[in-house]
Each structure stands twice: as structure tokens, then as C-alpha cells.
Amino acid sequence: MAIGIALGNWQTRRAEEKIAVAAQSHERGMQAPIVLGGGGGKQQYDRVGSRAHPTYRRVQVTGEFVQSWPVFLDNRPHAGRAGFYLAMPFKIAGSDEHVLVLRGWLPRDPREYGRLPEYATPAGTTTVEGIIVAGAGHVMQLGAAAPIKPGAIVQNLEVEDMARASGLRLAPYFVQQSGPPAPGDALVRDWPAPDTGVDKHRGYAVQWYALAAMAALFFVITGFRSGRKQVE
């Protein structure tokens, strides 16, 4: 009983912690954007990695996309359709540093599995707004991971692996690009809400509390039967 109650309380506290994190993330998303490597009156980071980068904080960065290094993240469905997330390095203006931008979702061609979707990329200097995220989300990996190279279709992508493959200096996070795509562009930026795992912890808590209740019921039943035997 004690173990079940203690573990149920622990899972309840974990759920409350995740709720607090979600509230903090929402608050960060409402703050003014951080400028990466740029000037102006907004808060800025002079160098990528020079300060802590809070997850789900809005950012603004000026530079240009490295168009020779697109990577497609497979098994990313949207609105019932199969598709990809397009990830592309973005060189920050005035430096040799880059940030990996999740540009949006693209549909898969249902007639030809390996065909890459068409998309538009701004040429020259442009400004990107988005939200800092720790990762691009993970899906089940079957078999060996595909090598990371320009135009590769991969299941999952880590910043460290992209940095090694491309030789680029990358910030240790992704920027999930926001805002509407260019006219005629197929990119969709209807990003799913982050899963905090609150329901999972609540479910575990219910299971542990149920186990404690079963232990209490077992104790009462066996004690009652033992008492009856002693009376007889």
C-alpha cells in the first residue's frame, strides 16, 4: 500500500511539473523575439551558443539558407497525408555560424515513394522568425539510419549528426519557422503542439493508486477471514 501510494504521488508530482513547464513555455512564446547574431533594440545573442537558449522562445535571425543542404524528415503526416519536414541550415549574417531551421511540412508524392517534393527557397539575405525547439521529434527507426547528405530522406535528425556530415558550425537546437510561406510555396507551417506527457504520468498515477487500493482490499479480506478462523 505504501509503495503504491508513494509511486502514485511521485507520478502526480511529475505531471504537475510538466504542467508548469508547459505554462512556462507558453509564457516564453509570448515574449518579444530574441535576435540571433544581429543588432537592433531587441535582446540578441552575439554568438550562437554564447548563452542559454530557452526552449520555445521566439527568435528572429537574418542571413541566408544553405540551399545545397536540404534534409527531409520522413514519416511526418499532416491532416491525414504522408509527408516530410524540410530541415535546412541557415547561415547567420556577419558570422560563420548556422542554425538548423525546420522550414515546414511538404507532401509526399503517393505515386513515387522516393520522389522529393518541390519547394521554394528565398535567394540571398532574408529574415526568418520562429521558435526554438530542442529537436525535430522522433519516429520509430526500422533498420539502419540513412546517411546524412544533401537531399537525404531520414527518419530522425540530430543537430550533432548534421554538423558532422555538413561540416557546418550549428547551434545546438532547431528553429521551427513560423509565418506564412511565400506565395505558391507548398510548405505548411501548421506545427503540432508539443506533447508534455502529462496524460502519461496521470495514467501511471492511477495505476499505482489502484494497486494500493487492491493491496488494502486484500489486507482487509485476508484479515477478516483470519479473524473468522480464530473465532471458530
Side-chain angles (χ1 to χ4, degrees):
M1 287 172 55
I3 292 174
I5 292 173
L7 291 174
N9 290 341
W10 172 60
Q11 289 293 341
T12 299
R13 289 194 299 270
R14 290 286 294 149
E16 292 173 349
E17 290 172 0
K18 294 292 183 67
I19 292 172
V21 170
Q24 186 181 48
S25 299
H26 176 73
E27 181 182 354
R28 288 173 177 171
M30 300 300 290
Q31 296 174 355
I34 297 168
V35 176
L36 297 181
K42 300 176 183 177
Q43 182 180 353
Q44 73 175 71
Y45 290 154
D46 294 326
R47 294 182 61 79
V48 170
S50 62
R51 306 183 189 177
H53 300 280
T55 307
Y56 303 121
R57 184 67 190 270
R58 291 171 58 205
V59 293
Q60 184 181 86
V61 56
T62 298
E64 57 184 305
F65 285 104
V66 183
Q67 300 192 34
S68 60
W69 260 102
V71 175
F72 299 85
L73 279 66
D74 200 2
N75 291 328
R76 296 321 200 267
H78 174 73
R81 300 177 62 191
F84 309 91
Y85 285 165
L86 172 61
M88 189 178 290
F90 187 88
K91 186 177 184 296
I92 300 174
S95 74
D96 62 348
E97 297 165 331
H98 301 72
V99 62
L100 196 53
V101 176
L102 296 173
R103 296 193 55 202
W105 178 87
L106 292 165
R108 176 189 287 280
D109 187 342
R111 298 164 298 181
E112 190 173 347
Y113 181 83
R115 182 178 180 181
L116 295 176
E118 296 182 358
Y119 59 91
T121 301
T125 302
T126 186
T127 297
V128 169
E129 292 191 1
I131 298 175
I132 292 177
V133 292
H138 284 259
V139 299
M140 182 178 293
Q141 176 74 53
L142 298 177
I148 298 175
K149 59 183 180 179
I153 298 176
V154 299
Q155 301 294 320
N156 300 295
L157 182 64
E158 300 294 337
V159 173
E160 296 83 358
D161 297 334
M162 183 69 173
R164 281 194 295 269
S166 65
L168 300 174
R169 186 179 180 186
L170 290 170
Y173 54 84
F174 292 81
V175 170
Q176 195 177 77
Q177 188 173 356
S178 59
D185 199 346
L187 285 162
V188 177
R189 299 195 180 110
D190 182 19
W191 300 105
D195 182 13
T196 59
V198 172
D199 292 337
K200 178 185 69 175
H201 291 296
R202 286 174 172 167
Y204 288 154
V206 169
Q207 293 178 14
W208 285 117
Y209 288 139
L211 181 62
M214 291 175 60
L217 184 61
F218 177 79
F219 175 77
V220 171
I221 293 174
T222 55
F224 177 74
R225 289 178 176 177
S226 177
R228 287 183 58 184
K229 290 181 180 179
Q230 291 179 3
V231 171
E232 293 174 357

